[in-house]
Amino acid sequence: MPVLTLLRQFGKAWKVLRFHGGIYGSFWKILRGVDLRIGSLVGIDKYGNKYFENNEYFMARNRWVEYSPTRYWDFDGSQVPPEWHRWLHQMTDDPPTEVPPEPRRFIWAHHKENLSGTREKFVPYSTVRPKIESWQPPQPTK
């Protein structure tokens, strides 16, 4: 019995390695911080992100995104467009490839990622005089 379980686990590991491009591809995915999972490709958005689904996983872990290779180390969740965000977070069962979302006013034509922490971040400026002024030490009189 334990031998059968061991063989089954080796079989799963072999499938995962083949899916991710062998040992070399799996090594780079792990180094990048991505889980090694297998699933069926559901679609690709206009930014090159790939969306996968495998219903053998638990409910909140059965859908995931692999970000575009152009953003190899620098990726985050704000790079997912709204139509795919709905599908990833289980708001709908139909991916945007099958049922395109209806156009809405608040969804932009071109999705912009969150630029906080980068050089392009938004920096507000104030037109109001500061309410607190810094303390200036008294100058000694001669």
Side-chain angles (χ1 to χ4, degrees):
M1 188 70 170
V3 173
L4 214 56
T5 305
L6 187 64
L7 285 175
R8 188 178 313 126
Q9 294 302 322
F10 277 129
K12 284 183 182 180
W14 180 252
K15 276 168 79 175
V16 168
L17 285 175
R18 277 194 11 229
F19 185 80
H20 291 287
I23 294 174
Y24 184 76
S26 299
F27 170 76
W28 282 106
K29 289 234 180 182
I30 291 172
L31 188 65
R32 193 175 169 205
V34 179
D35 292 341
L36 294 181
R37 298 192 259 183
I38 21 177
S40 58
L41 179 67
V42 175
I44 302 174
D45 66 11
K46 59 186 170 185
Y47 303 107
N49 300 329
K50 296 179 182 177
Y51 299 90
F52 294 91
E53 182 174 30
N54 185 348
N55 288 325
E56 292 177 7
Y57 295 132
F58 294 114
M59 181 63 165
R61 306 271 299 161
N62 64 341
R63 296 175 182 175
W64 67 94
V65 59
E66 286 187 5
Y67 295 97
S68 172
T70 58
R71 303 299 299 255
Y72 197 74
W73 299 104
D74 187 28
F75 57 89
D76 68 351
S78 70
Q79 295 168 346
V80 175
E83 59 269 11
W84 282 102
H85 179 271
R86 293 179 68 235
W87 179 78
L88 276 175
H89 291 273
Q90 313 286 339
M91 293 180 193
T92 179
D93 289 332
D94 303 320
T97 53
E98 294 176 9
V99 180
E102 56 191 53
R104 296 197 171 129
R105 289 184 306 185
F106 58 86
I107 296 179
W108 307 300
H110 299 287
H111 176 69
K112 293 186 288 187
E113 64 182 273
N114 184 359
L115 298 174
S116 297
T118 66
R119 290 172 168 246
E120 294 87 25
K121 66 184 174 202
F122 174 72
V123 180
Y125 64 93
S126 178
T127 57
V128 180
R129 199 178 102 231
K131 296 178 181 170
I132 300 175
E133 297 180 13
S134 60
W135 177 73
Q136 300 292 331
Q139 300 294 330
T141 57
K142 292 184 180 181

